[in-house]
Amino acid sequence: MSAADMQFRWQAHWHDILDNHPEATEQRPDPLPPFDRDVRLHFGIWRLPAATRAAAFAPLPEGAALGERAALWPLDLRRLPRNEAHALLQAAVAGLRLFGLEAPESDAPILFETPYPEALEGTDAPTINMDDALWNMAAARSPAHEAALAFLSEPLYRAADSYDVAHWLMWPLVAPADAPDVYHPFALLRAGGWATGWRSDGTLLLVETDISHA
């Protein structure tokens, strides 16, 4: 089955589930738009009860693990104090380095900056090299995994308008067996009201966000 055929089947399945919850989303579009421009698909999934949301992932590769993770969002959603955010970012970059990709040093200076998002202008995400590797990781597992990554990228981003959260949600789809959950601390930071940046001089940034839009 082609990637396009698989993606259309997954899209129709999600809309079937959304049809059973008209209180959570607008009416099903007819015909369905391309999945990467399907607004109901992207946002509606996060308006469903957690158990129902998990069922949407069942037909996809690693569907059970993806569904379990999607049902956990929005994690804690309490404001992390500065000392906790600082320690969590240190642990996060240490985890990234286990993969052998270029990543911030574990002992890199960490600065607290404001305002969000302006303070992040001109910086990279600390995860930038891992982010770039995700597509090759999915393709190495199977064509279906790669097709699922394309299908999920936009709706998972819309969980929190955050790539850190999106990549944590999709991690079961791309991760090698027994891989550490490298995006989990970054998702916790985002849920706790912090965005991260990596300056060209190696400095790391923690920038406080509006937690309701973390």
Side-chain angles (χ1 to χ4, degrees), residues 101-112:
L101 298 174
E102 184 181 357
E105 297 290 342
S106 299
D107 59 353
I110 298 175
L111 303 178
F112 292 88

Side-chain angles (χ1 to χ4, degrees), residues 133-174:
L134 294 177
W135 290 96
N136 288 336
M137 292 166 66
R141 298 194 70 178
S142 79
H145 285 73
E146 187 176 16
L149 181 58
F151 176 77
L152 292 173
S153 291
E154 184 65 20
L156 295 189
Y157 174 78
R158 291 303 175 189
D161 289 345
S162 163
Y163 288 110
D164 288 338
V165 172
H167 293 158
W168 171 71
L169 289 165
M170 69 177 59
W171 187 240
L173 185 67
V174 301

Side-chain angles (χ1 to χ4, degrees), residues 69 72-93 127 159-160 162-169 181-196 206-214:
R69 196 159 289 210
L72 292 174
W73 183 254
L75 299 176
D76 194 350
L77 275 187
R78 65 180 179 91
R79 173 70 66 188
L80 285 176
R82 283 191 171 204
N83 63 320
E84 291 186 33
H86 189 282
L88 194 54
L89 182 54
Q90 285 182 318
V93 297
T127 57
S162 163
Y163 288 110
D164 288 338
V165 172
H167 293 158
W168 171 71
L169 289 165
D181 197 353
V182 295
Y183 284 104
H184 188 230
F186 289 101
L188 288 174
L189 281 166
R190 192 68 172 173
W194 297 96
T196 61
L206 280 166
V207 183
E208 197 167 20
T209 70
D210 176 357
I211 197 168
S212 66
H213 296 89

